[in-house]
Amino acid sequence: MAIAAFITKRLIQGVFTVWFIATATFFAMHNVPGDPLLNERAMTEAIRANVEAKYGLDKPLGTQYLIYLSNLTRGDFGISFTQENRQVNDIIREHFPVSAILGVLAVLFAAVGGILWGALTALYRNRIPDYLIMFFVILGISVPSFVIAALGQLVIVNMNSALGITLFPVAGWGTLGHMLVPSMVLGLGTMAYLTRLMRSSMLEIVSSDYVRTAKAKGLPPARIFAKHQLRNAILPVITVLGPAIAAITTGGFVVELVFAIPGLGRYFVQAVQQLDYTVIMGTTVFYGAFLVFMVIFVDVLYGLIDPRVRMS
Amino acid sequence: MPNGHAYDFSPLRRTEISQSQSRPSLSYWQDAWIRLKANTRALISLYLLIGLLIFTLFGPLLWNIDPAAQDLDQISRPPGEDRRALIVPEYSPWTGSASDLEVGSGQGLRLIGEATTQSIRLGWDPTDTVTGYRVYRNIYPIGQERAYGIPRAEFFDSRIVNFEDRLDLKEGIYYFTVVPMKGKEQLLDLTETLAVEVKRVTTVREANQKGLIGLTEELGVGDFIDLAFHPLGTDYLGRDMLARLMAGARVSLFIGIGAPLFFVTFGILFGATAGFLGGKTDQVMMRFADFIVALPFLLFMILFKIAFGIGPGESGIGPMLVALVVLMWPATARLVRGQILQIREQGYISASQLLGGKTLYLILRHMLPNTLGVVLVTLTFAIPSAIFTEAFLSFIGMGVAPPTPSWGSMSNEGIKTMLTTPHELIFPAVLISVTVLAFNLLGDGLRDALDARMRNQE
Amino acid sequence: MTPLLKVTNLAVEFSTYGGIVCAVRGVDFELEAGKTLAIVGESGCGKSVTVQSMMGLTPMPPGRLVSGSARLRGEEILGQRRVQGKEVRGAEIGMIFQDPMTSLNPTMTIGDQIAEPLQVHRGFSRREAFTEAVKLLELTKIPEAQKRAKQYPFEFSGGMLQRAMIAMAIACKPSILIADEPTTALDVTIQAQILDLLQDIQQEIGMAIILITHDLGVVARVADEVAVMYAGKVVEFGKVDDIFYRSAHPYTVGLRAAMPVNDPSRNHVLSPIEGSPPDLFSPPAGCGYCSRCPEAMEICATEAPPTKALNRGHTSSCWLQQDGAPHPESLFFNEERL
């Protein structure tokens, strides 16, 4: 019961947040200095009127906003400004799956790696493996994603030329080989962050009272690790999975750009650079809704795992 | 006496020593400082950051070069390369007349005269069956895949068999390819490629314009002259890397340190107010903070940037600062509120109240100082994330507007030429990484030194 | 006859950022089957470290076992996981801790946690162990045990959690139960119930109890024998009557005088022990209590006092007990002298 009410409440909050994002996006786009149609060639009065009518720009702002909202609720994001006759929906449908595959692989890589390395460092606290892993973690946290992406590309180029064969393609999309390096690059920063979190969470639990109790019960170390340490240590990692997904989604912008991956992120950045208003609005609202509901999903997941949250 | 010992059973004469404690007691901050000093990594980071600040603030006084000035003789030059240039006569136009070309001598594609950064002159033998020629230029050797590089010229007359290239020449090796054309068809078997080694040259007039020749010096054609000195090389527009890095540091650190200072201050005020007032006000205030947290951060940064579009001549630093502050304060506010709520329940607050402490006094004397440690740690960790945000936005072209340099925008420019001139990416990227690393390590050290809970664990 | 447990010359130190702390500096005591031994002393005197290092619960490093032995029925248990085919921890010796709120795994049901030692040491199936866990909860007088066993620690009160802890510690019928300040974190009303429960269970399964406490009231109530610890050493050991009525160490006398007496007619004045315990980063050469002792002598500051047997099972480490030393009035404290 409690959990259903919790989910409902979070969903209502989420819808409200998405509405705010949509509204903010709409007014931000209409606040852009300059005339969006000024760049168009051969803009006679008649053509201008036609174009304005096509995008609904001839109506007052309030009406435009209402039309925009009602279109949104029907899942219609409008037509691209720069690529006429292309629906924003089609753009999202075509490019988002690519970003999603990349993102899911990166999240998996980051979460599994983070938990594994974090647990390892805690078990080998203040010994060589700990120092070694933490050295890379601190590097992973401190090096910006685009540098990691560039380095990743450099490594592929050098490896390919050293081996004389194309082990991994340098850029593009299609095969698993295309996906592997970019998703690792994308997940690396988050993995470093999760490793750190997992380590401190494990260390706290290793010295916790209930692990001492488990030892006093005479349980074998493997059982203590699996039943008492790991499960409790993963909980804080799950709480930050929402922000981690957000970080990987936006980090995807850069990785897609560097590796020339035809994902929505790259498309979004291009749209922003070309001021393709409808595409910006559509993708922003889409990304916003995606992230907001991912965070809610993770929260609910956490609630299902942690009995303390589940019950209260 | 048992055991044959003579024990002294007289009453003990109490001395100061027997009562004194062996260790002096330390205040919270003294103890924290001692712990921080014991943490080598944090200490090195601290010194590194101080050094970086000095580099940023006082560097330009020593290396007083305009970061926007272009040195067109030295474009994308890595540091430490030979910067001598030969002085040659002024450029004089070339007609490419038949006598110059020795047409018909059958030597194929060949270099006429010397290849210099002033001009490269090419000639080749006419082929009767063709309708024209295309000339390509590449900086890489032509491989199996026949990548000829950029097309430089196309002639629709088989009798035109010369080409002069003056476009953007740098010293090094160029690979020119001439492809004979028949209509629209490229005759690949008749294609010729020539590797040309280009020498760097300059003229007396140019050298004088750039102030490279001293007043007393007498230099003429045939002499060598040193071009302007760039300790860290130049970028793709010939701008001095060191000067740009220092200017970029000012932008990156201004945003990286300025924004966190602002939003942490705002967060403290907001959180402390909410925590202290409690009740309905607290709930409404924290709802608002939760709402801001739920917004996708980078998307809103980008929206902000688009909405407050940057006009010509503006750097875009202001809007970015505002956006960071508007979106990043809630974390601090939540933290401070939690601390205040905890502290409010402590005995010493009640004690102070009983002694007649006013609200403002309680907040200033007891509550804020006790949250200071946590806030300091938050601030140290907020700085790298702000630097990252700036770098990320600048990298995707949504940050500070060119020509204003920032480490992020410099990386963005540098990544395009990563394979040929890696220094343009490496320097800003290393600076970002080292700065963020130092702040992270310092933050770790501060947290370990200040966190009372960690202390008890040892 | 060998005692059930005999600890000799146990010494443990910790390396911390401030230096090496000699937390336990040569502790001896004995425990007989079915009896209750109380270890008393103020905070930081090494009570918990003594039993925890005996159980191998002290993290090493930073801890280090300097010397000593602990023999269970004559077999060494220090550094051993098993003795005579039985697991020491959980099977031979059960243990409960000070703060039941944090001593149980927050994400595991109470029943599962109690069932764990049965599964591990007795080879019970999950179902059998859980049924047994419910019985144990009933034994520790938890109402609706069947339902409670499926709940999580955060749904229990402190007193209930301590009962569950006891149920868990006695699951495998250990021969010794170590209770490390079991009532300190609980309400006074609950304290008495927990102590009664411990005694009831002791009667039922005939185990010995080592009770660590700083509360002399608790000691008087349940202990058969008492070890008084100060600055990492046992300064006096004896039957509970020896300790209370024939105190042979000025520290015991001091503790006794600092204890409230529930008798308004006696006009009792609480007299605290002035000063604080010595810094164990650099343990004193002489008696640790020297700087606070009202009877201190020159010898106390320079040489550690030897342990002297006074009468059956009563020992004291104090120079005042040596031949030729003055014999102050206050020693051999008893009620009548107040």
Side-chain angles (χ1 to χ4, degrees):
Chain A
M1 282 307 106
I3 192 104
F6 170 69
I7 295 175
T8 319
K9 196 178 134 203
R10 290 305 313 265
L11 283 180
I12 292 171
Q13 280 174 359
V15 170
F16 178 72
T17 312
V18 173
W19 166 79
F20 181 82
I21 293 170
T23 307
T25 313
F26 178 82
F27 286 103
M29 287 303 128
H30 284 265
N31 190 38
V32 175
D35 184 345
L37 299 181
L38 211 60
N39 306 333
E40 303 281 324
R41 297 139 292 170
M43 188 62 72
T44 65
E45 279 306 310
I47 297 174
R48 187 184 181 91
N50 278 338
V51 172
E52 282 190 344
K54 177 180 173 188
Y55 291 104
L57 293 174
D58 52 344
K59 300 187 181 66
L61 198 62
T63 321
Q64 283 185 41
Y65 174 63
L66 288 179
I67 293 172
Y68 164 75
L69 274 193
S70 80
N71 283 345
L72 273 192
T73 49
R74 280 184 284 112
D76 178 5
F77 291 122
I79 307 162
S80 166
F81 242 72
T82 49
Q83 299 179 312
E84 277 138 86
N85 307 324
R86 201 151 177 229
Q87 293 270 328
V88 178
N89 289 33
D90 291 337
I91 293 172
I92 294 175
R93 206 172 298 134
E94 188 182 326
H95 296 285
F96 182 65
V98 174
S99 295
I101 292 172
L102 185 70
V104 166
L105 282 178
V107 169
L108 276 180
F109 175 70
V112 171
I115 289 169
L116 199 77
W117 295 125
L120 260 178
T121 50
L123 289 182
Y124 287 96
R125 188 189 187 180
N126 293 343
R127 277 184 278 166
I128 302 281
D130 180 22
Y131 292 134
L132 210 66
I133 296 171
M134 287 318 283
F135 174 76
F136 284 109
V137 161
I138 208 86
L139 272 188
I141 288 172
S142 306
V143 179
S145 54
F146 51 81
V147 177
I148 296 181
L151 282 178
Q153 216 173 25
L154 209 62
V155 167
I156 303 180
V157 168
N158 286 328
M159 205 166 65
N160 286 347
S161 63
L163 293 176
I165 47 161
T166 306
L167 198 63
F168 292 109
V170 179
W173 193 249
T175 65
L176 194 68
H178 284 107
M179 300 169 186
L180 217 57
V181 177
S183 60
M184 269 162 64
V185 164
L186 181 54
L188 213 62
T190 307
M191 184 171 83
Y193 178 70
L194 292 182
T195 304
R196 208 157 108 132
L197 188 73
M198 183 72 188
R199 178 178 187 266
S200 65
S201 152
M202 271 297 270
L203 284 181
E204 202 176 307
I205 282 163
V206 165
S207 58
S208 74
D209 286 354
Y210 58 84
V211 166
R212 186 182 61 188
T213 307
K215 276 188 204 152
K217 284 199 282 193
L219 306 184
R223 190 183 175 109
I224 295 179
F225 178 74
K227 288 221 152 190
H228 295 269
Q229 294 178 351
L230 205 56
R231 188 184 156 108
N232 286 297
I234 287 176
L235 288 178
V237 175
I238 292 174
T239 57
V240 300
L241 223 49
I245 290 172
I248 281 180
T249 310
T250 43
F253 298 176
V254 165
V255 171
E256 286 172 16
L257 218 55
V258 174
F259 284 92
I261 295 168
L264 191 58
R266 190 172 71 135
Y267 211 93
F268 175 65
V269 173
Q270 280 170 1
V272 167
Q273 285 165 352
Q274 297 164 358
L275 280 185
D276 189 339
Y277 296 91
T278 38
V279 174
I280 297 175
M281 287 205 280
T283 40
T284 305
V285 173
F286 178 77
Y287 265 128
F290 173 74
L291 292 179
V292 165
F293 287 107
M294 274 324 271
V295 170
I296 293 173
F297 172 73
V298 169
D299 277 3
V300 171
L301 185 77
Y302 180 76
L304 289 176
I305 292 173
D306 190 338
R308 284 163 293 187
V309 181
R310 195 193 318 157
M311 309 271 176
S312 58
Chain B
M1 290 281 152
N3 310 333
H5 285 288
Y7 295 124
D8 186 354
F9 286 139
S10 58
L12 180 69
R13 290 180 301 273
R14 307 245 179 222
T15 55
E16 285 297 312
I17 299 141
S18 65
Q19 288 291 331
S20 75
Q21 283 184 306
S22 60
R23 282 182 301 163
S25 71
L26 297 169
S27 79
Y28 179 71
W29 293 104
Q30 279 173 322
D31 186 39
W33 176 236
I34 287 176
R35 280 166 167 269
L36 192 66
K37 275 202 293 191
N39 188 334
T40 329
R41 286 188 300 180
L43 214 60
I44 291 175
S45 304
L46 187 63
Y47 293 143
L48 204 74
L49 290 172
I50 293 171
L52 197 72
L53 277 178
I54 292 172
F55 168 74
T56 314
L57 296 175
F58 299 106
L61 298 179
L62 293 175
W63 186 248
N64 192 10
I65 297 283
D66 180 4
Q70 286 180 273
D71 183 350
L72 293 174
D73 289 334
Q74 300 186 73
I75 283 180
S76 292
R77 301 283 297 165
E81 269 204 4
D82 176 32
R83 54 193 171 89
R84 287 191 314 160
L86 183 70
I87 299 184
V88 293
E90 283 294 317
Y91 172 75
S92 57
W94 185 54
T95 52
S97 63
S99 61
D100 284 343
L101 293 169
E102 301 159 32
V103 179
S105 61
Q107 292 167 3
L109 179 61
R110 59 194 175 271
L111 186 67
I112 313 290
E114 263 202 299
T116 65
T117 49
Q118 208 172 44
S119 77
I120 299 171
R121 292 164 182 178
L122 298 174
W124 56 90
D125 298 326
T127 315
D128 298 334
T129 52
V130 303
T131 59
Y133 305 94
R134 252 184 214 161
V135 183
Y136 292 91
R137 184 177 97 185
N138 201 346
I139 50 171
Y140 300 109
I142 315 299
Q144 290 289 314
E145 61 276 7
R146 293 178 185 274
Y148 295 138
I150 48 167
R152 285 291 295 117
E154 176 153 12
F155 305 111
F156 298 101
D157 185 342
S158 66
R159 286 164 300 170
I160 300 177
V161 287
N162 63 55
F163 170 65
E164 179 179 32
D165 196 349
R166 299 194 65 205
L167 181 80
D168 208 9
L169 292 172
K170 285 180 272 180
E171 85 282 8
I173 295 174
Y174 287 95
Y175 298 87
F176 283 94
T177 307
V178 174
V179 183
M181 306 287 292
K182 193 165 198 172
K184 285 189 173 176
E185 190 198 347
Q186 301 199 24
L187 300 173
L188 294 179
D189 356 328
L190 296 173
T191 296
E192 282 181 289
T193 297
L194 179 72
V196 175
E197 195 177 347
V198 178
K199 266 195 227 145
R200 186 168 37 199
V201 295
T202 188
T203 62
V204 176
R205 187 179 52 83
E206 278 174 359
N208 263 326
Q209 264 176 5
K210 287 171 192 152
L212 294 173
I213 302 177
L215 283 175
T216 53
E217 262 179 301
E218 280 292 336
L219 286 169
V221 173
D223 287 335
F224 279 101
I225 190 171
D226 274 352
L227 293 177
F229 177 52
H230 301 288
L232 295 182
T234 54
D235 72 355
Y236 73 114
L237 291 176
R239 294 174 293 192
D240 183 67
M241 284 295 283
L242 181 61
R244 275 180 75 71
L245 283 173
M246 288 192 292
R250 255 170 297 166
V251 173
S252 290
L253 291 183
F254 177 68
I255 292 174
I257 298 175
L261 273 180
F262 279 122
F263 73 68
V264 164
T265 312
F266 183 74
I268 293 172
L269 292 179
F270 192 93
T273 315
F276 192 80
L277 294 178
K280 261 252 145 37
T281 329
D282 174 41
Q283 270 195 353
V284 172
M285 285 175 87
M286 288 332 278
R287 267 290 148 71
F288 181 60
D290 288 347
F291 175 70
I292 300 282
V293 169
L295 298 177
F297 171 65
L298 279 169
L299 284 182
F300 265 76
M301 290 295 298
I302 293 171
L303 270 190
F304 234 92
K305 151 91 185 183
I306 300 172
F308 298 96
I310 297 158
E314 288 174 41
S315 63
I317 298 173
M320 193 189 274
L321 203 69
V322 172
L324 275 169
V325 173
V326 166
L327 291 170
M328 283 182 93
W329 61 269
T332 322
R334 276 176 165 182
L335 192 81
V336 170
R337 171 182 171 268
Q339 288 280 315
I340 294 282
L341 283 184
Q342 235 176 50
I343 291 169
R344 222 166 54 150
E345 303 303 317
Q346 302 282 315
Y348 59 83
I349 294 293
S350 319
S352 183
Q353 260 172 332
L354 279 176
L355 291 170
K358 298 275 189 307
T359 308
L360 192 67
Y361 175 81
L362 288 181
I363 294 178
L364 291 180
R365 183 73 189 85
H366 290 297
M367 297 193 172
L368 286 185
N370 278 300
T371 54
L372 217 57
V374 208
V375 166
L376 198 62
V377 174
T378 326
L379 184 66
T380 329
F381 283 123
I383 290 171
S385 85
I387 291 178
F388 256 21
T389 307
E390 186 277 322
F392 177 88
L393 289 174
S394 295
F395 183 79
I396 62 171
M398 286 291 107
V400 295
T404 312
S406 86
W407 291 342
S409 59
M410 289 176 74
S411 305
N412 179 24
E413 290 156 4
I415 205 162
K416 290 164 192 152
T417 55
M418 177 179 82
L419 291 177
T420 47
T421 51
H423 74 282
E424 287 173 55
L425 173 64
I426 288 171
F427 287 128
V430 162
L431 273 178
I432 295 174
S433 306
V434 167
T435 311
V436 169
L437 180 75
F439 272 113
N440 274 327
L441 290 180
L442 182 65
D444 279 349
L446 275 179
R447 190 188 49 205
D448 291 351
L450 291 171
D451 194 331
R453 200 177 49 139
M454 293 289 288
R455 268 178 219 197
N456 291 340
Q457 272 186 0
E458 280 186 62
Chain C
M1 196 192 97
T2 41
L4 177 63
L5 179 73
K6 185 176 170 68
V7 175
T8 39
N9 197 28
L10 185 70
V12 182
E13 57 186 33
F14 292 92
S15 41
T16 70
Y17 89 102
I20 289 176
V21 183
C22 311
V24 175
R25 306 186 292 146
V27 160
D28 307 274
F29 63 82
E30 286 177 14
L31 175 66
E32 271 168 47
K35 294 281 199 238
T36 302
L37 166 73
I39 302 181
V40 264
E42 58 196 281
S43 310
C45 72
K47 308 176 295 247
S48 293
V49 176
T50 302
V51 290
Q52 286 187 10
S53 45
M54 203 174 82
M55 290 282 282
L57 296 178
T58 315
M60 308 206 176
R64 189 172 80 86
L65 192 67
V66 182
S67 68
S69 82
R71 290 172 184 276
L72 183 72
R73 297 190 204 91
E75 300 257 352
E76 182 62 52
I77 59 166
L78 285 186
Q80 306 292 319
R81 283 195 54 187
R82 299 169 149 270
V83 162
Q84 290 159 351
K86 265 179 104 179
E87 198 93 21
V88 174
R89 296 194 290 216
E92 282 283 13
I93 307 180
M95 189 157 181
I96 61 175
F97 298 95
Q98 177 172 355
D99 189 354
M101 301 291 210
T102 58
S103 296
L104 285 159
N105 184 345
T107 58
M108 208 168 164
T109 61
I110 297 284
D112 281 339
Q113 295 192 55
I114 298 174
E116 263 194 316
L118 290 166
Q119 286 171 268
V120 171
H121 302 306
R122 292 280 164 85
F124 280 31
S125 72
R126 239 196 116 174
R127 185 177 290 272
E128 284 170 340
F130 195 84
T131 319
E132 186 64 26
V134 174
K135 279 190 202 146
L136 283 162
L137 281 177
E138 278 164 359
L139 184 71
T140 52
K141 304 190 176 73
I142 288 182
E144 298 179 274
Q146 187 72 44
K147 187 185 123 203
R148 285 298 203 161
K150 289 188 186 119
Q151 291 185 337
Y152 289 91
F154 71 95
E155 296 169 88
F156 274 51
S157 68
M160 289 295 223
L161 282 179
Q162 198 58 293
R163 284 167 194 271
M165 281 291 288
I166 293 171
M168 195 162 75
I170 61 165
C172 297
K173 309 249 176 329
S175 50
I176 302 175
L177 175 72
I178 298 176
D180 188 351
E181 308 229 15
T183 57
T184 311
L186 304 177
D187 285 353
V188 184
T189 47
I190 313 281
Q191 283 185 12
Q193 292 174 12
I194 295 289
L195 290 174
D196 286 345
L197 176 68
L198 279 176
Q199 283 189 303
D200 290 350
I201 289 169
Q202 184 175 28
Q203 301 269 302
E204 202 152 326
I205 63 180
M207 65 190 177
I209 293 180
I210 298 178
L211 180 75
I212 293 175
T213 179
H214 56 247
D215 186 343
L216 282 181
V218 171
V219 175
R221 189 183 166 116
V222 298
D224 297 310
E225 275 163 338
V226 182
V228 180
M229 279 191 72
Y230 186 80
K233 288 186 171 181
V234 173
V235 293
E236 187 170 3
F237 184 88
K239 300 255 179 310
V240 65
D241 284 355
D242 291 335
I243 299 298
F244 278 84
Y245 303 110
R246 292 180 286 281
S247 313
H249 196 287
Y251 178 60
T252 319
V253 176
L255 279 184
R256 189 77 181 80
M259 183 186 164
V261 174
N262 188 12
D263 185 353
S265 65
R266 253 201 281 153
N267 200 16
H268 176 74
V269 180
L270 282 185
S271 49
I273 303 177
E274 298 292 341
S276 52
D279 181 6
L280 292 180
F281 282 103
S282 48
C287 173
Y289 191 54
C290 176
S291 63
R292 301 167 82 183
C293 181
E295 319 289 349
M297 303 173 292
E298 283 296 328
I299 181 71
C300 302
T302 53
E303 227 172 301
T307 302
K308 173 153 180 164
L310 300 175
N311 50 40
R312 249 184 78 80
H314 188 189
T315 60
S316 166
S317 306
C318 180
W319 283 113
L320 291 172
Q321 301 302 336
Q322 298 299 322
D323 297 329
H327 217 69
E329 283 270 300
S330 61
L331 279 195
F332 291 120
F333 182 98
N334 62 45
E335 292 290 301
E336 286 76 55
R337 292 205 185 179
L338 271 177

